[in-house]
Amino acid sequence: MQRQNATDKLNPSALIFLREKFGDEVAVRFIERFSGQEFCIHTSSSRTHSRKGEEIIDAFGPDMLDTIFKEYKRVPFIVPVARKFRYEFYAKQGLGSAAIAPLIGVSVRQSYCIGRQYKKRRAAKFQQWKREAER
């Protein structure tokens, strides 16, 4: 578990890439399916002939694989675990911390800790928007 958290901190660009290219909902589904896995596509022919490439095509279609290949050609693409992002996604859907815990693969206690951090970030953003609106 520590290796996966370290992966998220070392490679936040993968999460940003997924969110920008495919949107939050598809990014969450992709992360849940492939979190922690490494994809390295060396040639255009290996996109469709590798086992991992076929898994992406089966789950999300060839367009997603092509987009990943264009961005991460010959460079390892490590899918982040992104527990905080997934927590925020489910919290926006109206789920509580206890319901979110099994979805993101943590204990209920850890889920409450992530929830407190989320609420602090959300409150800070609200205060920032409020200050900007007063200007």
Side-chain angles (χ1 to χ4, degrees):
M1 187 181 327
Q2 288 180 346
R3 182 180 183 280
Q4 291 176 341
N5 288 337
T7 300
D8 287 350
K9 291 176 184 170
L10 294 174
N11 194 10
S13 62
L15 178 60
I16 293 167
F17 166 75
L18 288 170
R19 290 181 75 183
E20 286 178 353
K21 296 291 182 179
F22 307 110
D24 287 351
E25 190 169 330
V26 174
V28 165
R29 287 187 14 235
F30 187 83
I31 290 168
E32 287 178 345
R33 172 79 189 247
F34 299 110
S35 69
Q37 293 186 27
E38 182 176 330
F39 297 94
C40 193
I41 305 166
H42 296 288
T43 63
S44 59
S45 65
S46 68
R47 291 180 310 185
T48 55
H49 296 300
S50 69
R51 183 183 61 80
K52 290 185 176 186
E54 289 177 0
E55 287 179 30
I56 293 175
I57 290 173
D58 291 343
F60 296 95
D63 292 339
M64 180 171 254
L65 182 63
D66 290 340
T67 304
I68 292 170
F69 175 70
K70 287 176 188 171
E71 187 75 19
Y72 288 92
K73 190 184 325 181
R74 296 182 182 91
V75 177
F77 174 68
I78 301 171
V79 180
V81 177
R83 287 189 176 99
K84 290 179 184 178
F85 164 65
R86 290 168 38 210
Y87 182 94
E88 291 177 13
F89 179 81
Y90 289 124
K92 289 175 185 175
Q93 306 259 327
L95 295 177
S97 292
I100 294 172
L103 296 173
I104 64 174
V106 297
S107 68
V108 174
R109 183 177 181 180
Q110 286 177 311
S111 181
Y112 280 112
C113 289
I114 294 171
R116 280 194 299 275
Q117 293 170 359
Y118 167 63
K119 289 176 184 173
K120 286 179 185 176
R121 283 192 308 274
R122 193 173 62 180
K125 281 184 183 178
F126 177 73
Q127 291 299 326
Q128 181 182 4
W129 291 334
K130 188 175 175 182
R131 283 190 298 264
E132 289 174 1
E134 290 174 352
R135 290 182 188 174

